[in-house]
Amino acid sequence: MQVTRYSEAKPYEAPEHYDMRCLRLQGKEATTTDTIWIGLSHLLPGGRTSLKDAAVEKIYIVVAGEVTVETVDGAVTLGVLDSCRLAPGEARALVNRTNAPASILLAMPT
């Protein structure tokens, strides 16, 4: 078993992420995983990412606050424990449109 304590999770820099703090919980440099990695992102009010696609699918789960997920087809606001899946090549932007911090988990293939 490989355990990552939240208090010891290492931050990582994600390109085109603004007013956000990203932590690696599992996979990549945090632990050895076979197929996925898990990240936790904290978005300050107004925090956001650029509208950008990825070659792999992504799954997001909001764990605190509200996060709006924008795609070329529209936008949806997710609350606590709401989730969404983005297909490979589907561009997305994350935005915290509230006055409170928000946190979202990301799971994606390595």
Side-chain angles (χ1 to χ4, degrees):
M1 178 186 308
Q2 298 176 65
V3 175
T4 302
R5 303 274 182 213
Y6 177 76
S7 62
E8 299 169 357
K10 302 290 187 228
Y12 67 94
E13 293 296 320
E16 300 182 45
H17 287 52
Y18 308 100
D19 291 327
M20 295 177 63
R21 175 77 162 191
C22 303
L23 301 172
R24 189 98 59 211
L25 300 180
Q26 293 291 325
K28 299 212 175 193
E29 70 280 355
T31 60
T32 302
T33 57
D34 295 327
T35 58
I36 65 169
W37 67 271
I38 306 290
L40 175 65
S41 296
H42 299 295
L43 294 83
L44 291 175
R48 62 184 175 81
T49 69
S50 296
L51 182 67
K52 193 170 183 178
D53 66 350
V56 297
E57 77 177 332
K58 293 182 175 185
I59 295 174
Y60 289 102
I61 305 165
V62 174
V63 294
E66 291 183 350
V67 177
T68 299
V69 181
E70 300 173 345
T71 68
V72 295
D73 296 322
V76 63
T77 299
L78 303 176
V80 173
L81 298 182
D82 291 343
S83 62
C84 70
R85 179 224 181 229
L86 296 166
E90 185 175 7
R92 65 82 187 107
L94 304 178
V95 184
N96 179 356
R97 295 183 177 161
T98 74
N99 289 328
S103 299
I104 193 165
L105 284 169
L106 164 64
M108 63 186 286
T110 50

XYZ file of all heavy atoms in Angstrom:
829
model
N 0.850 -1.182 0.000
C 0.000 0.000 0.000
C 0.889 1.236 0.000
O 1.876 1.293 0.727
C -0.894 -0.002 1.242
C -1.766 1.230 1.317
S -2.734 1.409 2.832
C -3.544 -0.153 2.938
N 0.501 2.218 -0.796
C 1.210 3.490 -0.827
C 0.259 4.584 -0.352
O -0.803 4.769 -0.945
C 1.682 3.791 -2.245
C 2.653 2.752 -2.772
C 3.020 3.042 -4.193
O 3.648 4.050 -4.480
N 2.615 2.166 -5.090
N 0.636 5.263 0.688
C -0.214 6.281 1.302
C 0.384 7.653 1.048
O 1.589 7.850 1.210
C -0.351 6.032 2.815
C -1.123 7.149 3.491
C -0.996 4.680 3.079
N -0.452 8.597 0.667
C -0.047 10.000 0.587
C -0.870 10.770 1.602
O -2.100 10.823 1.496
C -0.294 10.585 -0.810
O 0.422 9.816 -1.776
C 0.149 12.039 -0.881
N -0.239 11.310 2.593
C -0.925 12.165 3.574
C -1.130 13.539 2.943
O -0.214 14.088 2.320
C -0.101 12.308 4.847
C 0.244 10.991 5.504
C -0.850 10.553 6.427
N -0.449 9.302 7.081
C -1.304 8.368 7.412
N -2.590 8.531 7.155
N -0.891 7.275 8.012
N -2.319 14.069 3.114
C -2.610 15.382 2.547
C -1.577 16.410 2.992
O -1.106 17.220 2.191
C -4.031 15.824 2.943
C -4.374 17.201 2.462
C -4.681 17.435 1.126
C -4.366 18.280 3.331
C -4.980 18.705 0.666
C -4.668 19.554 2.883
C -4.965 19.760 1.562
O -5.252 21.023 1.112
N -1.189 16.342 4.250
C -0.231 17.320 4.782
C 1.143 17.206 4.129
O 1.944 18.130 4.219
C -0.100 17.154 6.296
O 0.406 15.862 6.605
N 1.416 16.073 3.468
C 2.708 15.861 2.828
C 2.631 15.859 1.302
O 3.644 15.652 0.624
C 3.299 14.529 3.313
C 3.540 14.518 4.815
C 3.873 13.141 5.353
O 3.875 12.161 4.575
O 4.128 13.041 6.573
N 1.441 16.073 0.744
C 1.281 16.066 -0.720
C 2.106 17.192 -1.339
O 2.138 18.311 -0.825
C -0.190 16.216 -1.087
N 2.759 16.886 -2.427
C 3.631 17.850 -3.094
C 2.858 18.656 -4.137
O 2.098 18.100 -4.928
C 4.787 17.134 -3.795
C 5.626 16.293 -2.865
C 6.444 17.150 -1.930
C 7.392 16.285 -1.136
N 7.380 16.553 0.255
N 3.059 19.960 -4.158
C 2.426 20.783 -5.199
C 3.088 20.551 -6.551
O 4.250 20.130 -6.628
C 2.642 22.211 -4.718
C 3.821 22.141 -3.816
C 3.844 20.762 -3.227
N 2.345 20.799 -7.595
C 2.910 20.758 -8.943
C 2.354 21.931 -9.733
O 1.273 22.443 -9.439
C 2.626 19.420 -9.647
C 1.174 19.158 -9.977
C 0.647 19.483 -11.223
C 0.322 18.577 -9.053
C -0.671 19.240 -11.539
C -1.004 18.331 -9.354
C -1.492 18.653 -10.598
O -2.813 18.420 -10.907
N 3.121 22.385 -10.692
C 2.723 23.492 -11.546
C 2.013 22.938 -12.779
O 2.554 22.087 -13.474
C 3.935 24.305 -11.976
C 4.609 25.058 -10.846
C 3.717 26.121 -10.235
O 2.992 26.805 -10.982
O 3.750 26.254 -9.003
N 0.817 23.416 -13.020
C 0.062 23.020 -14.205
C -0.006 24.229 -15.136
O -0.422 25.317 -14.710
C -1.330 22.550 -13.825
N 0.403 24.079 -16.393
C 0.361 25.205 -17.325
C -1.061 25.756 -17.482
O -2.027 24.997 -17.491
C 0.854 24.607 -18.642
C 1.561 23.349 -18.270
C 0.910 22.865 -17.005
N -1.160 27.062 -17.590
C -2.418 27.760 -17.849
C -3.468 27.525 -16.765
O -4.661 27.483 -17.030
C -2.959 27.403 -19.231
C -1.986 27.794 -20.340
C -2.496 27.497 -21.724
O -3.679 27.802 -22.003
O -1.722 26.962 -22.533
N -3.008 27.381 -15.507
C -3.865 27.325 -14.328
C -3.571 28.595 -13.532
O -2.410 28.846 -13.180
C -3.563 26.098 -13.479
C -4.046 24.808 -14.062
N -3.750 24.400 -15.339
C -4.827 23.836 -13.528
C -4.312 23.226 -15.572
N -4.964 22.861 -14.495
N -4.599 29.376 -13.240
C -4.425 30.692 -12.630
C -5.164 30.759 -11.297
O -6.318 30.348 -11.202
C -4.933 31.778 -13.586
C -4.326 31.638 -14.964
C -5.036 31.037 -15.998
C -3.027 32.065 -15.214
C -4.477 30.888 -17.263
C -2.452 31.917 -16.468
C -3.187 31.328 -17.488
O -2.614 31.169 -18.731
N -4.498 31.296 -10.276
C -5.054 31.387 -8.919
C -5.514 30.022 -8.434
O -6.596 29.865 -7.863
C -6.186 32.417 -8.842
C -5.684 33.831 -9.006
O -4.547 34.101 -8.566
O -6.405 34.661 -9.577
N -4.657 29.027 -8.674
C -4.931 27.652 -8.269
C -3.693 27.064 -7.607
O -2.571 27.424 -7.951
C -5.316 26.791 -9.482
C -6.609 27.191 -10.128
S -6.995 26.225 -11.613
C -7.168 24.569 -10.942
N -3.910 26.138 -6.703
C -2.831 25.357 -6.081
C -3.144 23.896 -6.362
O -4.212 23.408 -6.005
C -2.800 25.631 -4.581
C -1.826 24.800 -3.811
C -0.426 25.315 -3.996
N 0.414 24.773 -2.927
C 1.613 25.191 -2.685
N 2.133 26.151 -3.389
N 2.308 24.650 -1.721
N -2.231 23.204 -7.015
C -2.438 21.818 -7.424
C -1.527 20.895 -6.623
O -0.331 21.164 -6.490
C -2.157 21.658 -8.920
S -3.155 22.738 -9.967
N -2.098 19.817 -6.107
C -1.355 18.840 -5.330
C -1.475 17.471 -5.975
O -2.565 17.078 -6.408
C -1.900 18.750 -3.900
C -1.880 20.038 -3.079
C -2.625 19.830 -1.772
C -0.457 20.477 -2.818
N -0.386 16.743 -6.025
C -0.406 15.374 -6.549
C -0.657 14.431 -5.380
O 0.121 14.395 -4.425
C 0.925 15.043 -7.205
C 0.911 13.754 -7.936
C 0.694 13.885 -9.411
N 1.725 14.706 -10.024
C 1.486 15.466 -11.101
N 0.310 15.497 -11.661
N 2.455 16.188 -11.618
N -1.754 13.663 -5.437
C -2.087 12.738 -4.360
C -1.609 11.316 -4.635
O -1.166 10.619 -3.731
C -3.593 12.737 -4.102
C -4.201 14.085 -3.700
C -5.690 13.924 -3.471
C -3.515 14.651 -2.479
N -1.732 10.877 -5.868
C -1.312 9.534 -6.257
C -0.757 9.583 -7.672
O -1.211 10.365 -8.502
C -2.482 8.541 -6.202
C -3.008 8.253 -4.812
C -2.029 7.459 -3.975
O -1.312 6.596 -4.473
N -1.991 7.744 -2.681
N 0.203 8.714 -7.958
C 0.769 8.608 -9.292
C 1.856 9.630 -9.554
O 2.197 10.457 -8.709
N 2.433 9.502 -10.749
C 3.569 10.340 -11.165
C 4.647 10.334 -10.088
O 5.085 9.276 -9.673
C 3.096 11.715 -11.567
C 2.131 11.661 -12.755
C 2.249 12.839 -13.612
C 1.355 12.660 -14.831
N 1.642 13.615 -15.844
N 5.056 11.516 -9.585
C 6.128 11.539 -8.590
C 5.641 11.234 -7.169
O 6.450 11.046 -6.261
C 6.875 12.881 -8.610
C 6.097 14.054 -8.087
C 5.109 14.643 -9.085
O 5.065 14.213 -10.250
O 4.361 15.546 -8.683
N 4.326 11.150 -6.949
C 3.801 10.911 -5.593
C 3.882 9.438 -5.191
O 4.327 9.120 -4.081
C 2.362 11.402 -5.489
N 3.431 8.559 -6.055
C 3.431 7.119 -5.783
C 3.555 6.379 -7.109
O 3.413 6.967 -8.181
C 2.131 6.658 -5.095
O 1.020 6.951 -5.944
C 1.937 7.308 -3.735
N 3.770 5.091 -7.036
C 3.822 4.273 -8.239
C 2.412 3.791 -8.562
O 1.768 3.153 -7.722
C 4.741 3.054 -8.025
O 6.032 3.525 -7.666
C 4.833 2.213 -9.275
N 1.907 4.129 -9.740
C 0.599 3.642 -10.181
C 0.750 3.036 -11.565
O 1.669 3.371 -12.309
C -0.451 4.775 -10.227
O 0.021 5.808 -11.088
C -0.702 5.361 -8.843
N -0.178 2.158 -11.913
C -0.114 1.473 -13.200
C -0.816 2.239 -14.319
O -0.335 2.252 -15.444
C -0.735 0.082 -13.099
C 0.064 -0.827 -12.178
O 1.298 -0.687 -12.111
O -0.565 -1.675 -11.506
N -1.960 2.867 -14.010
C -2.766 3.413 -15.109
C -3.294 4.824 -14.897
O -3.675 5.479 -15.865
C -3.960 2.494 -15.407
O -4.749 2.362 -14.220
C -3.509 1.127 -15.878
N -3.395 5.314 -13.660
C -3.980 6.637 -13.434
C -3.148 7.440 -12.441
O -2.315 6.896 -11.725
C -5.436 6.574 -12.911
C -5.480 5.935 -11.521
C -6.345 5.875 -13.881
C -6.815 6.066 -10.835
N -3.409 8.736 -12.420
C -2.898 9.572 -11.346
C -4.038 10.448 -10.847
O -5.016 10.683 -11.570
C -1.672 10.383 -11.754
C -1.866 11.440 -12.778
C -1.784 11.311 -14.131
C -2.149 12.826 -12.542
N -1.998 12.515 -14.745
C -2.230 13.462 -13.787
C -2.339 13.581 -11.394
C -2.506 14.828 -13.929
C -2.605 14.944 -11.522
C -2.680 15.541 -12.787
N -3.927 10.894 -9.599
C -4.976 11.684 -8.950
C -4.366 12.988 -8.463
O -3.328 12.995 -7.793
C -5.577 10.942 -7.740
C -6.080 9.557 -8.115
C -6.671 11.790 -7.076
C -7.289 9.528 -8.984
N -5.026 14.090 -8.799
C -4.602 15.398 -8.326
C -5.741 16.096 -7.614
O -6.917 15.802 -7.847
N -5.408 17.015 -6.751
C -6.380 17.848 -6.051
C -6.018 19.295 -6.323
O -4.881 19.707 -6.077
C -6.341 17.567 -4.542
C -7.233 18.448 -3.674
C -8.715 18.215 -3.983
C -6.946 18.188 -2.198
N -6.983 20.047 -6.850
C -6.740 21.459 -7.157
C -7.628 22.336 -6.290
O -8.836 22.078 -6.167
C -7.034 21.744 -8.630
O -6.148 21.035 -9.459
N -7.020 23.356 -5.697
C -7.749 24.352 -4.929
C -7.828 25.615 -5.785
O -6.799 26.120 -6.239
C -7.031 24.654 -3.616
C -6.891 23.467 -2.719
N -7.966 22.826 -2.155
C -5.794 22.802 -2.303
C -7.539 21.820 -1.413
N -6.222 21.780 -1.494
N -9.042 26.099 -6.008
C -9.259 27.296 -6.824
C -9.693 28.438 -5.922
O -10.699 28.332 -5.213
C -10.354 27.069 -7.864
C -10.095 26.063 -8.972
C -10.398 24.644 -8.529
C -10.965 26.414 -10.176
N -8.942 29.521 -5.936
C -9.376 30.730 -5.240
C -10.577 31.318 -5.976
O -10.830 30.969 -7.137
C -8.243 31.747 -5.218
C -7.034 31.392 -4.357
C -5.941 32.429 -4.538
C -7.440 31.276 -2.898
N -11.329 32.201 -5.341
C -12.383 32.892 -6.095
C -11.781 33.530 -7.347
O -10.731 34.179 -7.288
C -12.875 33.949 -5.099
C -12.617 33.318 -3.756
C -11.308 32.597 -3.933
N -12.400 33.275 -8.486
C -11.873 33.761 -9.756
C -10.813 32.860 -10.359
O -10.378 33.090 -11.484
N -10.379 31.833 -9.632
C -9.385 30.898 -10.153
C -9.924 30.177 -11.382
O -11.124 29.941 -11.495
N -8.994 29.826 -12.296
C -9.465 29.246 -13.548
C -8.323 28.559 -14.288
O -7.154 28.727 -13.959
C -10.046 30.326 -14.446
C -9.011 31.377 -14.848
C -9.606 32.504 -15.660
N -8.601 33.529 -15.917
C -7.678 33.467 -16.866
N -7.613 32.420 -17.664
N -6.802 34.445 -17.031
N -8.726 27.815 -15.319
C -7.787 27.285 -16.296
C -8.161 27.845 -17.658
O -9.266 28.344 -17.845
C -7.840 25.741 -16.388
O -9.088 25.353 -16.980
C -7.678 25.089 -15.027
N -7.281 27.717 -18.604
C -7.600 28.063 -19.988
C -8.477 26.963 -20.585
O -8.492 25.834 -20.099
C -6.319 28.180 -20.811
O -5.534 29.227 -20.335
N -9.178 27.293 -21.660
C -9.936 26.303 -22.422
C -8.930 25.516 -23.242
O -8.313 26.050 -24.163
C -10.974 26.976 -23.324
C -11.853 26.030 -24.133
C -12.774 25.234 -23.212
C -12.684 26.811 -25.141
N -8.724 24.257 -22.858
C -7.673 23.463 -23.461
C -8.079 21.999 -23.457
O -8.739 21.536 -22.529
C -6.380 23.655 -22.660
C -5.141 23.154 -23.318
C -3.919 23.611 -22.542
C -2.667 23.170 -23.246
N -1.471 23.616 -22.581
N -7.664 21.265 -24.498
C -7.984 19.843 -24.556
C -6.796 19.010 -24.106
O -5.698 19.512 -23.903
C -8.437 19.433 -25.956
C -7.323 19.543 -26.986
O -6.254 20.105 -26.678
O -7.514 19.065 -28.112
N -7.060 17.723 -23.916
C -6.020 16.753 -23.571
C -6.251 15.512 -24.420
O -7.381 15.231 -24.829
C -6.079 16.403 -22.089
N -5.207 14.774 -24.666
C -5.302 13.574 -25.496
C -5.936 12.399 -24.757
O -6.202 11.364 -25.366
C -3.919 13.187 -25.999
N -6.182 12.551 -23.450
C -6.744 11.468 -22.640
C -8.011 11.946 -21.932
O -8.242 13.143 -21.791
C -5.721 10.973 -21.592
C -4.504 10.375 -22.273
C -5.308 12.103 -20.664
N -8.828 10.988 -21.486
C -10.029 11.375 -20.753
C -9.655 11.891 -19.369
O -8.588 11.563 -18.831
C -11.008 10.211 -20.635
C -10.657 9.165 -19.618
C -11.702 8.077 -19.493
O -12.896 8.327 -19.747
O -11.313 6.955 -19.145
N -10.534 12.729 -18.814
C -10.346 13.282 -17.471
C -11.656 13.128 -16.718
O -12.736 13.284 -17.293
C -9.987 14.767 -17.521
C -8.642 15.073 -18.134
C -8.354 16.564 -18.081
C -6.957 16.857 -18.595
N -6.636 18.288 -18.422
N -11.547 12.845 -15.432
C -12.716 12.799 -14.558
C -12.474 13.788 -13.427
O -11.413 13.769 -12.789
C -12.955 11.382 -14.013
C -13.298 10.446 -15.173
C -14.063 11.390 -12.957
C -13.421 9.005 -14.806
N -13.449 14.662 -13.198
C -13.380 15.659 -12.137
C -14.477 15.391 -11.112
O -15.600 15.056 -11.485
C -13.595 17.071 -12.699
C -12.449 17.590 -13.525
C -12.512 17.587 -14.906
C -11.315 18.101 -12.916
C -11.463 18.088 -15.677
C -10.260 18.602 -13.670
C -10.347 18.591 -15.042
O -9.303 19.085 -15.794
N -14.151 15.573 -9.835
C -15.112 15.460 -8.737
C -14.899 16.657 -7.820
O -13.797 16.849 -7.288
C -14.916 14.162 -7.931
C -14.984 12.942 -8.849
C -15.951 14.060 -6.807
C -14.456 11.676 -8.223
N -15.930 17.463 -7.625
C -15.832 18.619 -6.736
C -15.936 18.126 -5.287
O -16.849 17.364 -4.954
C -16.935 19.652 -7.041
C -16.921 20.790 -6.018
C -16.750 20.209 -8.446
N -14.993 18.537 -4.455
C -15.011 18.121 -3.049
C -15.293 19.285 -2.089
O -15.554 19.053 -0.913
C -13.707 17.386 -2.654
C -13.603 16.058 -3.400
C -12.481 18.226 -2.892
N -15.264 20.515 -2.594
C -15.623 21.677 -1.781
C -16.009 22.821 -2.717
O -15.387 23.002 -3.767
C -14.466 22.103 -0.885
N -17.025 23.568 -2.344
C -17.427 24.731 -3.131
C -18.126 24.353 -4.424
O -18.749 23.291 -4.535
N -18.001 25.241 -5.400
C -18.593 25.052 -6.727
C -17.557 25.371 -7.794
O -16.810 26.339 -7.664
C -19.788 25.980 -6.948
C -20.990 25.669 -6.120
C -22.166 26.577 -6.440
O -21.997 27.581 -7.176
O -23.256 26.299 -5.936
N -17.531 24.560 -8.842
C -16.634 24.783 -9.968
C -17.454 24.692 -11.242
O -18.218 23.740 -11.429
C -15.490 23.747 -10.002
C -14.611 23.952 -11.231
C -14.649 23.829 -8.730
N -17.315 25.679 -12.110
C -17.974 25.647 -13.406
C -17.018 25.053 -14.421
O -15.864 25.469 -14.518
C -18.403 27.064 -13.845
O -19.325 27.572 -12.863
C -19.088 27.040 -15.197
N -17.511 24.042 -15.146
C -16.734 23.393 -16.197
C -17.301 23.879 -17.525
O -18.488 23.670 -17.814
C -16.817 21.855 -16.102
C -15.968 21.214 -17.196
C -16.372 21.377 -14.722
N -16.464 24.553 -18.292
C -16.877 25.090 -19.587
C -16.281 24.238 -20.699
O -15.111 23.856 -20.636
C -16.396 26.529 -19.747
C -16.921 27.475 -18.693
C -16.298 28.857 -18.775
O -15.257 29.030 -19.456
O -16.840 29.778 -18.135
N -17.095 23.942 -21.712
C -16.618 23.264 -22.917
C -17.102 24.080 -24.109
O -17.843 25.064 -23.941
C -17.161 21.825 -23.028
O -18.570 21.867 -23.259
C -16.852 21.013 -21.780
N -16.736 23.683 -25.315
C -17.207 24.407 -26.500
C -18.714 24.252 -26.669
O -19.348 25.055 -27.353
C -16.461 23.950 -27.775
C -14.989 24.313 -27.691
C -16.629 22.468 -28.008
N -19.305 23.256 -26.021
C -20.745 23.016 -26.128
C -21.566 23.687 -25.040
O -22.790 23.637 -25.074
C -21.029 21.511 -26.114
C -20.439 20.806 -27.327
O -20.480 21.393 -28.425
O -19.933 19.683 -27.166
N -20.929 24.281 -24.035
C -21.674 24.919 -22.957
C -20.921 24.852 -21.651
O -19.727 24.556 -21.612
N -21.649 25.107 -20.561
C -21.041 25.130 -19.235
C -21.995 24.490 -18.237
O -23.216 24.562 -18.390
C -20.716 26.559 -18.815
N -21.420 23.878 -17.216
C -22.207 23.314 -16.118
C -21.481 23.631 -14.818
O -20.248 23.590 -14.765
C -22.424 21.787 -16.283
C -21.107 21.035 -16.236
C -23.390 21.256 -15.258
N -22.233 23.984 -13.799
C -21.662 24.244 -12.488
C -21.853 23.010 -11.627
O -22.972 22.516 -11.471
C -22.313 25.472 -11.834
O -22.057 26.611 -12.672
C -21.731 25.733 -10.457
N -20.746 22.511 -11.092
C -20.759 21.330 -10.249
C -20.622 21.731 -8.793
O -19.808 22.592 -8.459
C -19.598 20.399 -10.620
C -19.524 19.917 -12.070
C -18.259 19.086 -12.282
C -20.765 19.122 -12.442
N -21.422 21.104 -7.925
C -21.329 21.308 -6.489
C -20.622 20.139 -5.840
O -20.117 19.226 -6.513
N -20.622 20.123 -4.527
C -19.916 19.098 -3.763
C -20.394 17.699 -4.149
O -21.596 17.432 -4.180
C -20.087 19.339 -2.252
C -19.497 18.198 -1.441
C -19.443 20.664 -1.859
N -19.437 16.861 -4.510
C -19.587 15.469 -4.922
C -20.244 15.295 -6.291
O -20.498 14.166 -6.711
C -20.288 14.625 -3.858
C -19.526 14.545 -2.526
C -20.269 13.658 -1.538
C -18.099 14.047 -2.719
N -20.498 16.386 -7.008
C -20.880 16.283 -8.421
C -19.615 15.959 -9.204
O -18.505 16.337 -8.808
C -21.468 17.590 -8.947
C -22.825 17.920 -8.358
O -23.485 17.014 -7.800
O -23.226 19.091 -8.465
N -19.785 15.279 -10.332
C -18.624 14.892 -11.133
C -18.940 14.991 -12.609
O -20.109 15.074 -13.014
C -18.189 13.464 -10.786
O -19.222 12.541 -11.084
N -17.882 14.981 -13.420
C -18.052 14.953 -14.868
C -16.887 14.216 -15.501
O -15.811 14.117 -14.910
C -18.189 16.360 -15.456
S -16.676 17.334 -15.410
N -17.145 13.683 -16.679
C -16.113 13.018 -17.467
C -15.939 13.798 -18.757
O -16.909 14.182 -19.411
C -16.526 11.597 -17.802
C -15.497 10.855 -18.649
C -16.167 10.093 -19.767
N -15.170 9.363 -20.569
C -15.141 9.423 -21.877
N -16.012 10.149 -22.538
N -14.237 8.753 -22.553
N -14.694 14.042 -19.124
C -14.381 14.694 -20.385
C -13.664 13.693 -21.271
O -12.723 13.023 -20.833
C -13.505 15.924 -20.147
C -14.190 17.021 -19.331
C -13.182 18.034 -18.853
C -15.277 17.684 -20.142
N -14.112 13.583 -22.494
C -13.547 12.630 -23.440
C -12.181 13.106 -23.934
O -11.881 14.305 -23.890
C -14.491 12.453 -24.624
N -11.362 12.183 -24.428
C -10.104 12.605 -25.038
C -10.367 13.631 -26.141
O -11.298 13.466 -26.940
C -9.543 11.304 -25.620
C -10.155 10.221 -24.791
C -11.536 10.729 -24.455
N -9.614 14.719 -26.142
C -9.772 15.756 -27.149
C -10.850 16.782 -26.850
O -10.997 17.759 -27.581
N -11.619 16.594 -25.772
C -12.685 17.543 -25.420
C -12.084 18.689 -24.602
O -11.640 18.494 -23.474
C -13.785 16.832 -24.629
C -14.978 17.697 -24.316
C -16.095 16.935 -23.628
O -15.917 15.757 -23.255
O -17.172 17.541 -23.466
N -12.081 19.880 -25.177
C -11.502 21.042 -24.489
C -12.367 21.438 -23.302
O -13.595 21.346 -23.351
C -11.366 22.205 -25.455
N -11.708 21.891 -22.244
C -12.419 22.317 -21.048
C -11.700 23.474 -20.398
O -10.503 23.661 -20.545
C -12.575 21.183 -20.051
C -11.263 20.648 -19.459
C -10.733 21.487 -18.301
N -9.424 21.098 -17.841
C -8.323 21.792 -18.055
N -8.340 22.891 -18.764
N -7.163 21.402 -17.553
N -12.477 24.265 -19.677
C -11.933 25.272 -18.774
C -12.629 25.082 -17.438
O -13.825 24.771 -17.392
C -12.177 26.679 -19.302
N -11.895 25.243 -16.350
C -12.462 25.225 -15.006
C -12.467 26.651 -14.491
O -11.489 27.375 -14.670
C -11.620 24.361 -14.065
C -11.365 22.916 -14.469
C -10.459 22.244 -13.436
C -12.655 22.154 -14.627
N -13.562 27.054 -13.829
C -13.667 28.417 -13.304
C -14.376 28.384 -11.954
O -15.405 27.727 -11.808
C -14.468 29.332 -14.262
C -14.485 30.762 -13.737
C -13.924 29.285 -15.664
N -13.830 29.104 -10.984
C -14.517 29.318 -9.718
C -15.154 30.692 -9.790
O -14.474 31.713 -9.664
C -13.549 29.229 -8.537
C -14.247 29.472 -7.208
O -15.434 29.785 -7.156
N -13.504 29.322 -6.129
N -16.458 30.719 -10.011
C -17.195 31.982 -10.161
C -17.776 32.487 -8.847
O -18.577 33.420 -8.848
C -18.308 31.800 -11.181
C -17.810 31.529 -12.580
C -18.950 31.419 -13.547
N -18.450 31.228 -14.906
C -19.166 30.748 -15.895
N -20.431 30.406 -15.697
N -18.647 30.612 -17.093
N -17.415 31.862 -7.736
C -17.987 32.251 -6.449
C -16.990 33.109 -5.669
O -15.863 33.324 -6.105
C -18.343 31.002 -5.612
O -17.140 30.401 -5.110
C -19.134 29.988 -6.432
N -17.414 33.538 -4.491
C -16.545 34.309 -3.602
C -15.874 33.444 -2.549
O -15.269 33.965 -1.614
C -17.350 35.420 -2.919
C -17.728 36.508 -3.895
O -17.003 36.793 -4.838
N -18.893 37.110 -3.674
N -15.984 32.126 -2.690
C -15.381 31.194 -1.735
C -14.426 30.250 -2.470
O -14.637 29.955 -3.652
C -16.473 30.389 -1.039
N -13.403 29.761 -1.800
C -12.517 28.782 -2.434
C -13.279 27.508 -2.804
O -14.311 27.188 -2.210
C -11.467 28.488 -1.360
C -11.518 29.659 -0.441
C -12.945 30.118 -0.456
N -12.752 26.786 -3.779
C -13.333 25.509 -4.214
C -12.206 24.512 -4.410
O -11.054 24.900 -4.664
C -14.116 25.693 -5.506
N -12.535 23.223 -4.306
C -11.535 22.167 -4.508
C -12.129 21.085 -5.384
O -13.298 20.727 -5.253
C -11.119 21.564 -3.157
O -10.534 22.537 -2.330
N -11.282 20.557 -6.277
C -11.742 19.553 -7.226
C -10.670 18.474 -7.396
O -9.484 18.781 -7.469
C -12.107 20.225 -8.582
C -12.869 19.285 -9.480
C -10.902 20.819 -9.258
C -13.559 20.000 -10.660
N -11.103 17.218 -7.410
C -10.211 16.097 -7.677
C -10.167 15.839 -9.183
O -11.190 15.971 -9.861
C -10.710 14.822 -6.984
C -10.492 14.715 -5.490
C -11.275 13.521 -4.940
C -9.013 14.573 -5.173
N -9.013 15.435 -9.653
C -8.822 15.065 -11.055
C -8.241 13.658 -11.101
O -7.271 13.364 -10.399
C -7.842 16.035 -11.727
C -7.227 15.594 -13.059
C -8.305 15.455 -14.140
C -6.146 16.555 -13.492
N -8.850 12.808 -11.905
C -8.299 11.473 -12.185
C -8.100 11.379 -13.683
O -8.999 11.690 -14.462
C -9.250 10.383 -11.705
N -6.890 10.961 -14.090
C -6.626 10.793 -15.510
C -5.529 9.755 -15.725
O -4.745 9.490 -14.821
C -6.293 12.127 -16.174
C -5.059 12.817 -15.690
S -4.830 14.467 -16.422
C -4.303 14.075 -18.070
N -5.480 9.172 -16.920
C -4.454 8.161 -17.191
C -3.044 8.744 -17.122
O -2.843 9.929 -17.357
C -4.759 7.712 -18.623
C -6.170 8.132 -18.877
C -6.398 9.342 -18.038
N -2.095 7.872 -16.776
C -0.700 8.306 -16.718
C -0.133 8.440 -18.122
O -0.649 7.927 -19.070
C 0.159 7.281 -15.951
O -0.080 5.982 -16.473
C -0.169 7.313 -14.483
